[in-house]
mmCIF file of all heavy atoms in Angstrom:
data_model
loop_
_atom_site.group_PDB
_atom_site.id
_atom_site.type_symbol
_atom_site.label_atom_id
_atom_site.label_comp_id
_atom_site.label_asym_id
_atom_site.label_seq_id
_atom_site.Cartn_x
_atom_site.Cartn_y
_atom_site.Cartn_z
ATOM 1 N N ALA A 1 -0.182 12.757 0.372
ATOM 2 C CA ALA A 1 -1.011 11.608 0.730
ATOM 3 C C ALA A 1 -0.462 10.267 0.232
ATOM 4 O O ALA A 1 -0.500 9.320 1.000
ATOM 5 C CB ALA A 1 -2.354 11.938 0.351
ATOM 6 N N GLU A 2 0.005 10.359 -0.948
ATOM 7 C CA GLU A 2 0.533 9.021 -1.488
ATOM 8 C C GLU A 2 1.796 8.641 -0.748
ATOM 9 O O GLU A 2 1.969 7.401 -0.554
ATOM 10 C CB GLU A 2 0.886 9.298 -3.036
ATOM 11 C CG GLU A 2 -0.380 9.463 -3.852
ATOM 12 C CD GLU A 2 -0.043 9.881 -5.343
ATOM 13 O OE1 GLU A 2 1.145 10.120 -5.562
ATOM 14 O OE2 GLU A 2 -0.985 9.902 -6.206
ATOM 15 N N ARG A 3 2.647 9.572 -0.283
ATOM 16 C CA ARG A 3 3.749 9.247 0.561
ATOM 17 C C ARG A 3 3.360 8.660 1.806
ATOM 18 O O ARG A 3 3.955 7.678 2.317
ATOM 19 C CB ARG A 3 4.705 10.453 0.708
ATOM 20 C CG ARG A 3 5.502 10.939 -0.501
ATOM 21 C CD ARG A 3 6.519 11.916 -0.207
ATOM 22 N NE ARG A 3 6.000 13.073 0.392
ATOM 23 C CZ ARG A 3 5.722 14.195 -0.352
ATOM 24 N NH1 ARG A 3 5.791 14.181 -1.645
ATOM 25 N NH2 ARG A 3 5.291 15.317 0.288
ATOM 26 N N LEU A 4 2.387 9.212 2.468
ATOM 27 C CA LEU A 4 1.911 8.704 3.798
ATOM 28 C C LEU A 4 1.345 7.332 3.591
ATOM 29 O O LEU A 4 1.549 6.466 4.409
ATOM 30 C CB LEU A 4 0.865 9.693 4.343
ATOM 31 C CG LEU A 4 1.282 11.085 4.770
ATOM 32 C CD1 LEU A 4 0.116 11.970 5.190
ATOM 33 C CD2 LEU A 4 2.179 10.924 5.952
ATOM 34 N N LEU A 5 0.617 7.054 2.554
ATOM 35 C CA LEU A 5 0.078 5.670 2.333
ATOM 36 C C LEU A 5 1.217 4.715 2.112
ATOM 37 O O LEU A 5 1.125 3.566 2.700
ATOM 38 C CB LEU A 5 -0.871 5.652 1.154
ATOM 39 C CG LEU A 5 -2.327 6.024 1.354
ATOM 40 C CD1 LEU A 5 -3.047 5.947 0.000
ATOM 41 C CD2 LEU A 5 -3.035 5.126 2.361
ATOM 42 N N ALA A 6 2.213 5.012 1.297
ATOM 43 C CA ALA A 6 3.323 4.162 1.043
ATOM 44 C C ALA A 6 4.038 3.885 2.341
ATOM 45 O O ALA A 6 4.406 2.774 2.669
ATOM 46 C CB ALA A 6 4.273 4.750 -0.025
ATOM 47 N N ARG A 7 4.270 4.891 3.167
ATOM 48 C CA ARG A 7 4.989 4.715 4.451
ATOM 49 C C ARG A 7 4.229 3.890 5.503
ATOM 50 O O ARG A 7 4.814 3.316 6.307
ATOM 51 C CB ARG A 7 5.265 6.140 4.980
ATOM 52 C CG ARG A 7 6.391 6.109 6.055
ATOM 53 C CD ARG A 7 6.688 7.548 6.499
ATOM 54 N NE ARG A 7 5.646 8.186 7.186
ATOM 55 C CZ ARG A 7 5.609 9.467 7.441
ATOM 56 N NH1 ARG A 7 6.615 10.259 6.969
ATOM 57 N NH2 ARG A 7 4.637 9.982 8.147
ATOM 58 N N SER A 8 2.920 3.903 5.326
ATOM 59 C CA SER A 8 2.100 3.113 6.302
ATOM 60 C C SER A 8 2.312 1.627 6.219
ATOM 61 O O SER A 8 2.171 0.941 7.176
ATOM 62 C CB SER A 8 0.573 3.399 6.048
ATOM 63 O OG SER A 8 0.152 2.645 4.869
ATOM 64 N N GLY A 9 2.726 1.164 5.031
ATOM 65 C CA GLY A 9 2.989 -0.244 4.832
ATOM 66 C C GLY A 9 1.722 -1.069 4.783
ATOM 67 O O GLY A 9 1.716 -2.381 4.742
ATOM 68 N N ALA A 10 0.530 -0.513 4.763
ATOM 69 C CA ALA A 10 -0.724 -1.290 4.781
ATOM 70 C C ALA A 10 -0.931 -1.919 3.347
ATOM 71 O O ALA A 10 -0.631 -1.218 2.430
ATOM 72 C CB ALA A 10 -1.876 -0.364 5.062
ATOM 73 N N PRO A 11 -1.366 -3.197 3.258
ATOM 74 C CA PRO A 11 -1.553 -3.772 2.016
ATOM 75 C C PRO A 11 -2.642 -3.019 1.173
ATOM 76 O O PRO A 11 -2.506 -2.904 -0.006
ATOM 77 C CB PRO A 11 -1.977 -5.183 2.372
ATOM 78 C CG PRO A 11 -1.422 -5.481 3.677
ATOM 79 C CD PRO A 11 -1.507 -4.135 4.341
ATOM 80 N N GLU A 12 -3.708 -2.578 1.876
ATOM 81 C CA GLU A 12 -4.668 -1.785 1.205
ATOM 82 C C GLU A 12 -4.940 -0.490 2.002
ATOM 83 O O GLU A 12 -4.882 -0.593 3.212
ATOM 84 C CB GLU A 12 -5.936 -2.534 0.987
ATOM 85 C CG GLU A 12 -5.951 -3.694 0.125
ATOM 86 C CD GLU A 12 -5.575 -5.020 0.946
ATOM 87 O OE1 GLU A 12 -5.905 -5.064 2.112
ATOM 88 O OE2 GLU A 12 -5.042 -6.004 0.265
ATOM 89 N N GLY A 13 -5.285 0.547 1.377
ATOM 90 C CA GLY A 13 -5.566 1.765 2.102
ATOM 91 C C GLY A 13 -5.985 2.893 1.246
ATOM 92 O O GLY A 13 -5.818 2.786 -0.047
ATOM 93 N N ALA A 14 -6.498 3.989 1.794
ATOM 94 C CA ALA A 14 -6.945 5.055 1.014
ATOM 95 C C ALA A 14 -7.067 6.388 1.867
ATOM 96 O O ALA A 14 -7.241 6.295 3.109
ATOM 97 C CB ALA A 14 -8.336 4.860 0.413
ATOM 98 N N ILE A 15 -6.774 7.471 1.258
ATOM 99 C CA ILE A 15 -6.955 8.839 1.808
ATOM 100 C C ILE A 15 -7.696 9.657 0.836
ATOM 101 O O ILE A 15 -7.349 9.737 -0.333
ATOM 102 C CB ILE A 15 -5.568 9.494 2.103
ATOM 103 C CG1 ILE A 15 -4.678 8.609 2.965
ATOM 104 C CG2 ILE A 15 -5.809 10.859 2.761
ATOM 105 C CD1 ILE A 15 -3.333 9.146 3.180
ATOM 106 N N VAL A 16 -8.796 10.365 1.323
ATOM 107 C CA VAL A 16 -9.519 11.273 0.446
ATOM 108 C C VAL A 16 -9.776 12.466 1.368
ATOM 109 O O VAL A 16 -10.072 12.400 2.524
ATOM 110 C CB VAL A 16 -10.740 10.582 -0.130
ATOM 111 C CG1 VAL A 16 -11.709 10.125 1.064
ATOM 112 C CG2 VAL A 16 -11.521 11.521 -0.974
ATOM 113 N N ALA A 17 -9.691 13.710 0.664
ATOM 114 C CA ALA A 17 -9.931 14.923 1.374
ATOM 115 C C ALA A 17 -10.679 15.865 0.545
ATOM 116 O O ALA A 17 -10.606 15.833 -0.741
ATOM 117 C CB ALA A 17 -8.553 15.578 1.826
ATOM 118 N N SER A 18 -11.436 16.762 1.143
ATOM 119 C CA SER A 18 -12.265 17.704 0.413
ATOM 120 C C SER A 18 -12.246 19.061 1.092
ATOM 121 O O SER A 18 -11.978 19.249 2.318
ATOM 122 C CB SER A 18 -13.711 17.302 0.271
ATOM 123 O OG SER A 18 -14.342 17.275 1.591
ATOM 124 N N ASP A 19 -12.454 20.122 0.270
ATOM 125 C CA ASP A 19 -12.763 21.481 0.786
ATOM 126 C C ASP A 19 -14.218 21.403 1.178
ATOM 127 O O ASP A 19 -15.113 21.322 0.357
ATOM 128 C CB ASP A 19 -12.498 22.497 -0.346
ATOM 129 C CG ASP A 19 -12.871 23.909 0.005
ATOM 130 O OD1 ASP A 19 -13.751 24.112 0.845
ATOM 131 O OD2 ASP A 19 -12.160 24.843 -0.462
ATOM 132 N N VAL A 20 -14.500 21.490 2.510
ATOM 133 C CA VAL A 20 -15.831 21.326 2.964
ATOM 134 C C VAL A 20 -16.833 22.317 2.417
ATOM 135 O O VAL A 20 -18.032 22.123 2.309
ATOM 136 C CB VAL A 20 -15.897 21.193 4.478
ATOM 137 C CG1 VAL A 20 -15.119 20.107 4.982
ATOM 138 C CG2 VAL A 20 -15.512 22.521 5.180
ATOM 139 N N ARG A 21 -16.316 23.566 2.162
ATOM 140 C CA ARG A 21 -17.279 24.632 1.699
ATOM 141 C C ARG A 21 -17.773 24.487 0.332
ATOM 142 O O ARG A 21 -18.898 24.825 0.004
ATOM 143 C CB ARG A 21 -16.517 25.955 1.890
ATOM 144 C CG ARG A 21 -16.043 26.241 3.288
ATOM 145 C CD ARG A 21 -14.955 27.330 3.387
ATOM 146 N NE ARG A 21 -13.749 26.858 2.816
ATOM 147 C CZ ARG A 21 -12.560 27.496 2.879
ATOM 148 N NH1 ARG A 21 -12.438 28.646 3.544
ATOM 149 N NH2 ARG A 21 -11.506 26.988 2.360
ATOM 150 N N THR A 22 -16.934 23.903 -0.555
ATOM 151 C CA THR A 22 -17.333 23.733 -1.906
ATOM 152 C C THR A 22 -17.554 22.340 -2.357
ATOM 153 O O THR A 22 -18.229 22.088 -3.438
ATOM 154 C CB THR A 22 -16.183 24.338 -2.840
ATOM 155 O OG1 THR A 22 -14.968 23.525 -2.719
ATOM 156 C CG2 THR A 22 -15.943 25.766 -2.477
ATOM 157 N N GLY A 23 -17.015 21.329 -1.593
ATOM 158 C CA GLY A 23 -17.121 19.960 -2.035
ATOM 159 C C GLY A 23 -15.984 19.529 -2.965
ATOM 160 O O GLY A 23 -15.905 18.385 -3.417
ATOM 161 N N ARG A 24 -15.088 20.428 -3.312
ATOM 162 C CA ARG A 24 -14.005 20.078 -4.188
ATOM 163 C C ARG A 24 -13.047 19.018 -3.515
ATOM 164 O O ARG A 24 -12.625 19.159 -2.374
ATOM 165 C CB ARG A 24 -13.080 21.384 -4.481
ATOM 166 C CG ARG A 24 -11.822 21.032 -5.238
ATOM 167 C CD ARG A 24 -10.863 22.234 -5.173
ATOM 168 N NE ARG A 24 -9.603 21.777 -5.674
ATOM 169 C CZ ARG A 24 -8.433 22.391 -5.437
ATOM 170 N NH1 ARG A 24 -8.377 23.523 -4.709
ATOM 171 N NH2 ARG A 24 -7.282 21.941 -6.017
ATOM 172 N N ILE A 25 -12.853 17.925 -4.259
ATOM 173 C CA ILE A 25 -11.923 16.893 -3.779
ATOM 174 C C ILE A 25 -10.485 17.376 -3.946
ATOM 175 O O ILE A 25 -10.020 17.804 -5.043
ATOM 176 C CB ILE A 25 -12.125 15.601 -4.581
ATOM 177 C CG1 ILE A 25 -13.547 15.052 -4.367
ATOM 178 C CG2 ILE A 25 -11.094 14.575 -4.129
ATOM 179 C CD1 ILE A 25 -13.832 14.609 -2.915
ATOM 180 N N LEU A 26 -9.718 17.365 -2.822
ATOM 181 C CA LEU A 26 -8.371 17.794 -2.785
ATOM 182 C C LEU A 26 -7.364 16.613 -2.874
ATOM 183 O O LEU A 26 -6.242 16.776 -3.398
ATOM 184 C CB LEU A 26 -8.085 18.564 -1.493
ATOM 185 C CG LEU A 26 -8.943 19.736 -1.220
ATOM 186 C CD1 LEU A 26 -8.710 20.291 0.219
ATOM 187 C CD2 LEU A 26 -8.722 20.866 -2.225
ATOM 188 N N VAL A 27 -7.702 15.508 -2.318
ATOM 189 C CA VAL A 27 -6.915 14.312 -2.296
ATOM 190 C C VAL A 27 -7.688 13.106 -2.720
ATOM 191 O O VAL A 27 -8.904 12.953 -2.163
ATOM 192 C CB VAL A 27 -6.247 14.106 -0.984
ATOM 193 C CG1 VAL A 27 -5.526 12.706 -0.873
ATOM 194 C CG2 VAL A 27 -5.221 15.204 -0.624
ATOM 195 N N TRP A 28 -7.132 12.210 -3.621
ATOM 196 C CA TRP A 28 -7.807 10.944 -3.881
ATOM 197 C C TRP A 28 -6.677 9.909 -4.073
ATOM 198 O O TRP A 28 -6.172 9.724 -5.163
ATOM 199 C CB TRP A 28 -8.620 11.103 -5.197
ATOM 200 C CG TRP A 28 -9.517 9.898 -5.599
ATOM 201 C CD1 TRP A 28 -9.061 8.679 -5.949
ATOM 202 C CD2 TRP A 28 -10.869 9.872 -5.666
ATOM 203 N NE1 TRP A 28 -10.186 7.947 -6.257
ATOM 204 C CE2 TRP A 28 -11.259 8.593 -6.012
ATOM 205 C CE3 TRP A 28 -11.878 10.876 -5.341
ATOM 206 C CZ2 TRP A 28 -12.642 8.260 -6.224
ATOM 207 C CZ3 TRP A 28 -13.203 10.481 -5.466
ATOM 208 C CH2 TRP A 28 -13.542 9.170 -5.919
ATOM 209 N N ALA A 29 -6.186 9.369 -2.943
ATOM 210 C CA ALA A 29 -5.027 8.507 -2.957
ATOM 211 C C ALA A 29 -5.368 7.110 -2.511
ATOM 212 O O ALA A 29 -6.147 6.938 -1.534
ATOM 213 C CB ALA A 29 -3.913 9.058 -2.051
ATOM 214 N N SER A 30 -4.883 6.076 -3.258
ATOM 215 C CA SER A 30 -5.278 4.662 -2.958
ATOM 216 C C SER A 30 -4.017 3.891 -3.034
ATOM 217 O O SER A 30 -3.064 4.106 -3.757
ATOM 218 C CB SER A 30 -6.342 4.203 -3.910
ATOM 219 O OG SER A 30 -6.711 2.879 -3.692
ATOM 220 N N ARG A 31 -4.049 2.803 -2.195
ATOM 221 C CA ARG A 31 -2.921 1.794 -2.188
ATOM 222 C C ARG A 31 -3.531 0.357 -2.206
ATOM 223 O O ARG A 31 -4.418 0.060 -1.453
ATOM 224 C CB ARG A 31 -2.140 1.938 -0.857
ATOM 225 C CG ARG A 31 -0.980 0.942 -0.727
ATOM 226 C CD ARG A 31 -0.299 1.279 0.554
ATOM 227 N NE ARG A 31 0.652 0.185 0.987
ATOM 228 C CZ ARG A 31 1.940 0.060 0.557
ATOM 229 N NH1 ARG A 31 2.359 1.030 -0.344
ATOM 230 N NH2 ARG A 31 2.664 -0.849 0.937
ATOM 231 N N GLY A 32 -3.085 -0.436 -3.152
ATOM 232 C CA GLY A 32 -3.596 -1.761 -3.312
ATOM 233 C C GLY A 32 -4.044 -1.975 -4.805
ATOM 234 O O GLY A 32 -3.747 -1.210 -5.682
#
């Protein structure tokens, strides 16, 4: 996720993902 954000070139951005069954956060990536 961090690589995808860096490659996007956006000045600000974020990606967050979860396991929907448990609510466990799998990704917490931010740019800016």
Side-chain angles (χ1 to χ4, degrees):
E2 291 173 354
R3 288 194 298 269
L4 289 172
L5 274 181
R7 197 173 70 192
S8 76
E12 299 90 25
I15 304 174
V16 60
S18 68
D19 178 328
V20 301
R21 295 161 296 192
T22 65
R24 173 198 169 196
I25 298 291
L26 303 173
V27 169
W28 188 292
S30 181
R31 176 178 170 84

